[in-house]
Amino acid sequence: MSQTKFLLDESRMPTHWYNIAADLPVPVPAVLHPGTMQPVGPDDLAPLFPMELILQEVSTEREIPIPEPVREVYKLWRPAPLYRAHRLEKALGTPAKIYYKYEGVSPAGSHKPNTAIPQAWYNAQAGIKKLTTETGAGQWGTSLSFAGALFGIQVQVFQVRVSYDQKPYRRAVMETYGATCVASPSNLTNSGRAILAQRPDHPGSLGIAISEAVEIAATHDDTKYALGSVLNHVLMHQTIIGQEAMLQLEMAGDDPDVIVGCTGGGSNFAGIAFPFIGQQLRGGKKRRIVAVEPAACPSLTRGKYAYDFGDTAHLTPLTKMHTLGSTFTPPGFHAGGLRYHGMAPLVSHLKELGLIEATAYHQVACFEAGVMFARAEGIVPAPEANHAVLGAINEALRCKAEGKSEVILFNLCGHGHFDMASYSNYFAGKLTDASYSEEELAMALAGLPSVPA
Ligand SMILES: *Cc1c(COP(=O)(O)O)cnc(C)c1O
């Protein structure tokens, strides 16, 4: 068996994030102010984010330097390993080579600290004392709580009610890092109170939790808001994943033909894929790039490409993206991190330009793939990551059917140690392939804001 693990020396850890805006053939559509329908400027975003992050959000520079203190924290777990999945290949009987980049080695167990650390650092530099945020499964809340602890920032997390109830240990981790955690919808905000008045037992959604976190930040001077996905600067911070993978695949002497990632808001997918897409846009090799999303919350494959709000109470600017409608409440399936109504504007734009593909899978098949992966490779993937695992397995099986020895790279964005209850449900046969209500989807899409052409 040839080499399995490809470790990059710390001295070769990337020094810059990659900004795909520099290489796009067509710029991403402007972000609009919902009142004036005019493009938003940096000042419109200033109540929510520190200026350094706003400038990154609109930057068209190809390379943005990673500040030294951020690199120092990254070194706690980066460079992250790249593995060749020899045993999975064997179990599948495929001639394809499968590689995976493993982001579960971070203290929070996922890719999310890659952006939580710089976001907390830039806020601390700007004198901010408190950050508010939302979390679904708890991965993002955990990551920002960890980052807040390192840079002396107080963190308040609005956790989607179903996850808050289903995942008490996630909350305990956030509290260990010193954060406070509130079930959303809550009584602490106008947005939360309005939802509870309509439906006191509302299970919550990321869209509602975002409204609550944004409302607190917008109404307090020393408080800003941090988002764990979707925004340009968040996707950019994740590009350290793909840049490292590129160097590690060079060590392995391979070049991927297919790259697979799971998509909730699009950040880990962007992290692994954008550096490779950038190479292609600058005249390099063309690869297939596949986004995998849950069939129960299928924004890229079933959503409309339209201007929409990022939250349910309509406090955010309008972005053009693949959306299921900001009032859409996806069913409570187990990959909590993939339950967002919209997709990152950059990922949506690449889909429209034909630079990426998208596919949707049901959860039972994803868990089946995750279990197969664990039994071959040893790592128990996060339920979200199982979507990418199944995507990679299906590509490997296609290679087997076609007799092709393609090179497949996928992002194993996190481990599943906090989600074992969902594995228990899977083994007990209690997981079903929840589908969303078509009627509710139609209603949510009918409610999209009308934006003059
Ligand atoms: C949050 C999360 C996701 C979904 O977010 P993206 O921005 O699409 O990456 C996927 N996997 C894990 C492990 C997560 O924590």
Side-chain angles (χ1 to χ4, degrees), residues 109-112 139-140 228-230 262-269 337-338 382 384-385 413-415:
S110 76
H111 64 287
K112 294 229 169 65
Q139 294 273 18
W140 170 241
S229 186
V230 177
C262 70
T263 48
S267 75
N268 89 84
F269 169 78
L338 306 181
E384 293 86 357
C413 49
H415 67 65

Side-chain angles (χ1 to χ4, degrees), residues 107-109 139 142 166-167 169-170 173 415-421:
Q139 294 273 18
T142 303
Q166 280 171 7
K167 303 185 173 175
Y169 294 127
R170 271 284 171 201
V173 181
H415 67 65
H417 298 180
F418 287 103
D419 297 290
M420 295 321 293

